[in-house]
Amino acid sequence: HFISVLLLYQDRSGTFWVGTNDAMWTYDPKSGKYTHIDAITKVLKENSGFWACTESLDGRVWFGSNQGLICYDKCSKKATKYLYDPDDEHSISGNAITSLFVDHTNILWVGTNRAGMSKLDLNAKKFSTYKRNPQDKILPSNMVTGVAADHNPDFVWLYSNT
């Protein structure tokens, strides 16, 4: 019997986060112990999978899945799920999260599968959305597969399928 690992991420403390189709585990390399993270598993439906992970400056761990964005607070051991709401202009732009990145100002950048880019100011807790617009050419596509920064911390790179 084997398990398909869809996500492997090492946080700043050295803990590995291991995501499968329907569960999240941590692995502590110091103790050799695996721990099932019930709070994250409970907010997901079966066979949703994890596609992306990052850690915010305050130590919370963020996960992207095809069922929304999940924030896990390691201190309280609680998970919060963020979903697209067409009636809320400050909700995340889509539920299929393909990439995550936290910049030096504690902004969470969220790439989606065909719903553009969202950014979440982790202090204000409001999303802003960016979608492809042929006039401004900021996004070449609404499929954002990656986000990163280079040596200039005020500049964010977006990867797309275009």
Side-chain angles (χ1 to χ4, degrees):
H1 181 73
F2 65 92
I3 296 173
S4 293
V5 173
L6 303 176
L7 174 86
L8 184 62
Y9 176 80
Q10 186 175 25
D11 68 19
R12 289 190 297 272
S13 72
T15 299
F16 285 92
W17 296 81
V18 183
T20 66
N21 268 340
D22 54 7
M24 179 60 65
W25 299 81
T26 57
Y27 172 72
D28 181 348
K30 294 173 192 155
S31 68
K33 181 180 174 187
Y34 283 92
T35 304
H36 181 256
I37 308 299
D38 292 322
I40 296 172
T41 303
K42 286 179 183 175
V43 299
L44 285 179
K45 293 179 184 169
E46 194 172 322
N47 295 320
S48 63
F50 294 93
W51 295 350
C53 184
T54 194
E55 185 177 8
S56 53
L57 300 179
D58 61 4
R60 290 181 290 169
V61 184
W62 297 81
F63 301 95
S65 75
N66 63 4
Q67 294 180 12
L69 177 67
I70 299 162
C71 175
Y72 182 71
D73 185 317
K74 293 186 276 187
C75 294
S76 70
K77 300 191 182 328
K78 291 186 180 177
T80 305
K81 189 174 181 180
Y82 296 86
L83 295 171
Y84 170 67
D85 179 353
D87 297 325
D88 181 1
E89 67 181 36
H90 296 292
S91 77
I92 195 165
S93 63
N95 292 333
I97 311 302
T98 56
S99 56
L100 297 169
F101 176 75
V102 175
D103 70 19
H104 73 286
T105 64
N106 214 28
I107 300 287
L108 175 66
W109 296 86
V110 183
T112 69
N113 182 2
R114 299 186 191 102
M117 184 77 177
S118 288
K119 77 174 187 179
L120 174 61
D121 181 330
L122 294 172
N123 301 318
K125 298 188 171 91
K126 286 188 179 178
F127 287 94
S128 300
T129 296
Y130 304 92
K131 293 198 176 192
R132 183 181 183 281
N133 180 338
Q135 283 75 36
D136 64 24
K137 298 182 182 179
I138 292 174
L139 285 180
S141 167
N142 282 327
M143 174 70 171
V144 179
T145 57
V147 187
D150 62 16
H151 64 279
N152 179 353
D154 296 320
F155 193 77
V156 176
W157 291 90
L158 306 178
Y159 305 85
S160 175
N161 67 340
T162 310

